[in-house]
Amino acid sequence: MWDFTIRGVDVYHILNWFFIYSFLGWVWETGYVSAKHGKFVNRGFVSGPFCTIYGFGALSVYLILKPVSDNLFLLYVGGVIVATTLEYVTAVLMESIFHTSWWDYSDQKFNFQGRICLWVSLGWGVFAVALFRIIHPVVESIVGLYPVIAGKIAVTAIGIYWLVDFCFSAVAASKLHARIPVWEKSLDEMQNEIIMKIREKMGIAEMVRDLSLDSLKERLEDLEFLKEIDKRRSSVTEEFAAEIQKRKEAMASRLGRNAHRFVKSYPHLNRGYRIRKERHLKNRKNKKN
């Protein structure tokens, strides 16, 4: 088994590289998202320190583009195509299997179905070049630091741990799929309550309540006054989103640690459910017409 090769690379090295890249991907994703949100966010489908899509992605890019690795232009273009295709297919599969979305580019310009985005795809090309020129030589040298027998034992042990972790995570994701419609209904009912509570804090009504029409017109021409209103509006939007997320996490925690981690780490999980609900309503409407 260990000597079986794919594009001239044996299974031993492929498995070692897979787990190293998965770990490095987890460090990158977790570090970036944690820094962005100012708190620790454990990214990745499994609960352990592995971001599996990075492992598959790095290996796919390496094995597919290895024949053109000497051509910088083809390497870049190939990286854009291969990584973007993998990202899109993975998004579709995970949405189809779990009815949840694990990333969403809908708020980015030049995105396609929220699953892929031009700017991210261009970044994948840079990653492909860096992979061959910088990252992979380092990963190869790491694998060369320990004896083959130690590598086989480590990969076997880590592989078993990863597989068990993956199965538990898949079960948790399936439970989420069943619960999200219930949560959506509960959150819809909560929204009015949350909006009323936050609106009281905002206090814009108090800012304009005692002003005459002429005074109000003057105030609306006052740049500082408009800035204050915009500041409070932004604050309300952020507070509303934070409150909704907090309630989602509270509901998810009842399903277990993994479900809670998913909702905490991936705020757009319910997008897959909403897409299917909208399609269902649209199909029903078309049938009636």
Side-chain angles (χ1 to χ4, degrees):
M1 176 195 122
W2 297 104
D3 296 328
F4 179 77
T5 62
I6 301 174
R7 282 195 177 270
V9 183
D10 58 64
V11 169
Y12 170 78
H13 283 88
I14 287 176
L15 290 177
N16 274 270
W17 295 346
F18 169 74
F19 286 118
I20 291 173
Y21 278 123
S22 295
F23 174 71
L24 293 176
W26 177 83
V27 171
W28 162 254
E29 274 280 318
T30 299
Y32 172 76
V33 177
S34 297
K36 185 178 178 181
H37 293 283
K39 60 181 180 180
F40 178 73
V41 179
N42 183 13
R43 297 282 281 190
F45 183 72
V46 297
S47 60
F50 300 105
C51 208
T52 308
I53 190 172
Y54 278 86
F56 279 120
L59 280 176
S60 299
V61 168
Y62 179 79
L63 294 173
I64 293 172
L65 300 180
K66 191 180 176 186
V68 299
S69 59
D70 292 332
N71 187 314
L72 199 61
F73 175 74
L74 290 179
L75 188 57
Y76 177 82
V77 174
V80 171
I81 295 171
V82 172
T84 300
T85 301
L86 177 66
E87 186 175 36
Y88 183 80
V89 170
T90 303
V92 171
L93 285 175
M94 295 195 76
E95 286 175 20
S96 300
I97 295 169
F98 300 113
H99 295 191
T100 47
S101 298
W102 301 82
W103 58 85
D104 184 14
Y105 299 123
S106 297
D107 59 344
Q108 301 291 324
K109 288 184 178 180
F110 309 113
N111 77 84
F112 181 66
Q113 299 177 348
R115 293 166 175 152
I116 54 176
C117 168
L118 176 62
W119 310 119
V120 174
S121 294
L122 295 177
W124 290 134
V126 175
F127 166 76
V129 174
L131 176 75
F132 278 91
R133 297 292 188 270
I134 302 170
I135 305 172
H136 192 70
V138 174
V139 171
E140 277 191 299
S141 66
I142 291 173
V143 176
L145 291 175
Y146 44 84
V148 172
I149 185 63
K152 289 179 179 179
I153 294 171
V155 163
T156 301
I158 293 171
I160 293 171
Y161 164 78
W162 176 85
L163 187 59
V164 171
D165 194 351
F166 186 89
C167 290
F168 275 107
S169 298
V171 170
S174 298
K175 287 181 181 178
L176 279 180
H177 156 220
R179 294 301 300 170
I180 281 176
V182 179
W183 294 352
E184 285 288 303
K185 185 177 179 181
S186 298
L187 289 171
D188 284 341
E189 293 170 356
M190 294 175 187
Q191 281 185 10
N192 287 334
E193 172 204 333
I194 298 170
I195 289 171
M196 290 298 295
K197 187 197 302 183
I198 296 175
R199 190 190 297 173
E200 291 175 6
K201 292 183 181 180
M202 188 175 181
I204 287 182
E206 287 74 7
M207 294 173 67
V208 299
R209 184 178 54 197
D210 298 325
L211 295 176
S212 64
L213 183 59
D214 289 337
S215 299
L216 181 58
K217 286 181 179 178
E218 288 179 9
R219 293 302 303 273
L220 289 176
E221 292 173 359
D222 183 346
L223 186 59
E224 291 303 319
F225 180 73
L226 293 176
K227 283 183 178 178
E228 179 62 25
I229 289 181
D230 187 60
K231 182 180 176 182
R232 295 196 184 193
R233 179 194 59 78
S234 298
S235 176
V236 166
T237 303
E238 291 174 7
E239 192 167 343
F240 179 76
E243 185 66 23
I244 289 291
Q245 182 64 19
K246 182 180 176 183
R247 298 197 182 198
K248 279 185 187 177
E249 291 178 19
M251 289 186 284
S253 64
R254 298 169 195 161
L255 294 179
R257 185 171 58 86
N258 264 330
H260 180 260
R261 178 178 63 84
F262 286 151
V263 172
K264 184 178 178 181
S265 303
Y266 300 94
H268 301 292
L269 278 175
N270 55 341
R271 179 176 170 272
Y273 160 75
R274 288 181 177 176
I275 289 172
R276 277 164 180 74
K277 184 179 178 182
E278 288 170 6
R279 284 177 185 165
H280 178 67
L281 292 173
K282 188 177 180 181
N283 290 336
R284 284 181 59 184
K285 186 177 179 182
N286 290 337
K287 286 179 181 179
K288 287 181 180 179
N289 295 335

